[in-house]
Amino acid sequence: MKLACDADTNETKLRGLALVAEWASDAGPVIDAACGTVEKIHEERNPNFKMPLPVIYRLSQLAAKVGKYDEARKLADELPAGGWRDWIKAEIVRERLSRSKEPAEASLMELPDDPTKLHLGHAWGRLHIARHAARITGDRNGAKQFDSWPKGTIHPFALAGYSLGLQDRDLTP
């Protein structure tokens, strides 16, 4: 990690930290270093610096994988609004729910007020919330709880997720 942290540019440092996080037995400190680098970039306010988006995406994904959900969301917020950011936030939800035995609130994957700003990432995140609900409760009539989710966009994903969750529950010993 020292070699990555000593890199000559912030972009190289982030790329190196992503590589180290990929292979580290404990990626937590590496994720913390990456978040510190992002904070430093903001403090420097260099208008010519462009975040390496694929690297930030992967660091966010790795942060979620090691249970650093707040850091994962902070990194995700560095991505441009829309597709990439919404998709990685859905992946953070998926990773978080894979370790949880508690019911999840729909607000875990927020939806925009404007339906024209819905992205596939929103549907993917809500699918995992619905899947988790079915896996936890096993309630075969529980899909009604998603009736308020946007019809024609998010609602079908909720139904698919709920069906998959019931299947998960039935197949898990």
Side-chain angles (χ1 to χ4, degrees):
M1 184 165 87
K2 182 178 178 348
L3 188 61
C5 287
D6 291 343
D8 58 343
T9 68
N10 286 325
E11 182 176 0
T12 304
K13 186 181 292 187
L14 287 171
R15 289 180 188 281
L17 288 169
L19 184 61
V20 172
E22 196 79 51
W23 294 96
S25 60
D26 179 11
V30 184
I31 297 301
D32 292 339
C35 288
T37 300
V38 169
E39 286 176 19
K40 182 181 171 203
I41 290 167
H42 286 295
E43 289 170 7
E44 292 173 356
R45 292 191 172 96
N46 179 351
N48 297 322
F49 183 79
K50 302 286 185 236
M51 286 284 183
L53 300 181
V55 174
I56 295 296
Y57 183 94
R58 185 62 181 145
L59 282 165
S60 180
Q61 198 174 37
L62 291 166
K65 193 172 189 174
V66 297
K68 292 186 143 294
Y69 307 116
D70 291 338
E71 291 82 351
R73 287 186 78 77
K74 285 178 188 173
L75 289 164
D77 286 338
E78 295 298 320
L79 299 169
W84 280 44
R85 183 187 299 172
D86 298 329
W87 191 265
I88 193 60
K89 285 186 175 181
E91 286 295 301
I92 294 166
V93 166
R94 182 185 60 77
E95 194 66 48
R96 175 178 238 152
L97 294 178
S98 73
R99 298 180 179 156
S100 175
K101 303 276 188 237
E102 301 298 319
E105 295 291 323
S107 61
L108 197 56
M109 185 68 201
E110 296 174 4
L111 300 180
D113 293 332
D114 182 354
T116 64
K117 295 193 181 200
L118 285 170
H119 295 102
L120 187 55
H122 295 114
W124 185 240
R126 288 289 181 100
L127 177 145
H128 288 292
I129 292 169
R131 186 175 189 167
H132 180 73
R135 189 173 51 241
I136 294 296
T137 67
D139 180 0
R140 300 228 175 259
N141 297 314
K144 292 176 184 160
Q145 65 186 298
F146 309 113
D147 285 349
S148 64
W149 292 10
K151 304 279 189 243
T153 52
I154 304 300
H155 189 256
F157 285 86
L159 297 178
Y162 204 79
S163 296
L164 289 169
L166 291 173
Q167 182 179 16
D168 293 344
R169 185 177 175 93
D170 290 346
L171 294 176
T172 303

